[in-house]
Amino acid sequence: QEDHEAPGPSVQLTRILIVDDEIVISALLSEVLTEEQHQVTTADNGEQAIYLLHRSRYDLVITDLVMPGLNGVEVLMAAKRINSRLPVVVITGYPSVTTAVKLVELGANDYITKPFNIDVIKVTVAKVLQMTRLEAGALAVGPSRSFDGGGSLSEPYSYDLFVRMLEKELDRSKWRNYSCGLLMAEIDNFGVLTEGD
C-alpha cells in the first residue's frame, strides 16, 4: 500500500484507490492523478484493495480487470457492496461491446482501455467524479429520474451507456488513426418480432 498526497494548500482532496498488479502502470496512474491534485492510494492486488476499502473512505476506485487472485470484477462488486454509490473505473486490455455492457451492468461507471493515453485517463477521471457529484446533488434535492434501468435507447441507463461507448470508440479512432462509422437502430417490441425464429 502506498499513499501519494498532492502538494499545495490544505483542501479536501479527492481520494482515489488504484488497484493494479503491474507496478509500472500503478506508478504511472499514481503520478498522473497526484499531479491532478488527487490523493492516491495504491493496492497491488484485489485482496489488498478490498481490505483498504473496508478501512478507509475513497471517492473513486480504478482497478485493472485481469489480476492474479481476485480480479477487477470482484473488486468492483466488493466496492459496490461496501458503498453502492462509490464510482469505479475498470482498466481493460480486452475492449469490446460485450465487455463494456457487462461492466456497466455490474456497476462500473466507466472503463479505460489499454494501451491508454494520459489525457484519456485525466478526462475519464474528471468526468466520472463530476457525474458522481451531480448525481449526489440530484439525490440531495430529490431524484427526478432513475438511472437503474431502461429498455430503450432514449431511456437514461441505455443512453448513458451508448454515449460512453461512443466516446470511447471516437477516442480510439483518433489515437489509432482510423475512421469511425456509426449505425444506430432501435426496434420496438424486438422480443415479439423475433419469437418463433
Side-chain angles (χ1 to χ4, degrees):
Q1 174 195 351
E2 192 173 350
D3 288 314
H4 304 273
E5 187 165 329
S10 179
V11 294
Q12 186 66 37
L13 300 176
T14 303
R15 294 171 53 90
I16 299 177
L17 175 62
I18 296 171
V19 190
D20 203 308
D21 61 309
E22 295 183 57
I23 296 173
V24 173
I25 291 178
S26 185
L28 172 63
L29 290 170
S30 180
E31 181 180 344
V32 168
L33 295 174
T34 299
E35 288 175 357
E36 291 292 295
Q37 304 301 305
H38 301 297
Q39 182 179 333
V40 178
T41 302
T42 58
D44 299 333
N45 54 62
E47 291 85 353
Q48 186 182 21
I50 293 170
Y51 172 79
L52 292 171
L53 285 166
H54 278 290
R55 291 180 57 88
S56 302
R57 180 192 64 79
Y58 296 96
D59 301 298
L60 173 66
V61 176
I62 302 175
T63 180
D64 192 17
L65 182 60
V66 179
M67 297 182 291
L70 296 182
N71 61 32
V73 169
E74 291 167 301
V75 172
L76 165 63
M77 295 174 71
K80 293 297 182 177
R81 280 195 302 270
I82 294 167
N83 177 2
S84 63
R85 292 198 176 94
L86 175 61
V88 179
V89 174
V90 179
I91 301 172
T92 174
Y94 307 97
S96 69
V97 172
T98 303
T99 302
V101 170
K102 185 65 176 174
L103 291 173
V104 172
E105 285 176 347
L106 291 172
N109 297 73
D110 213 327
Y111 66 99
I112 299 172
T113 59
K114 295 179 183 178
F116 49 70
N117 177 279
I118 289 174
D119 289 332
V120 171
I121 293 167
K122 292 178 181 179
V123 169
T124 301
V125 168
K127 184 176 66 175
V128 169
L129 289 173
Q130 179 64 14
M131 183 63 72
T132 303
R133 292 186 193 106
L134 289 173
E135 289 179 3
L139 287 172
V141 296
S144 60
R145 65 181 193 174
S146 171
F147 286 87
D148 295 328
S152 164
L153 184 61
S154 61
E155 293 181 22
Y157 172 87
S158 299
Y159 178 76
D160 186 48
L161 173 60
F162 166 74
V163 170
R164 277 190 258 169
M165 291 173 62
L166 178 59
E167 287 173 349
K168 292 294 178 186
E169 188 58 33
L170 289 172
D171 285 339
R172 280 198 289 270
S173 70
K174 281 186 224 171
W175 293 113
R176 297 180 185 178
N177 197 27
Y178 64 80
S179 59
C180 179
L182 173 64
L183 172 66
M184 290 177 60
E186 184 170 3
I187 303 173
D188 292 332
N189 300 317
F190 180 77
V192 175
L193 290 173
T194 55
E195 281 180 9
D197 288 349

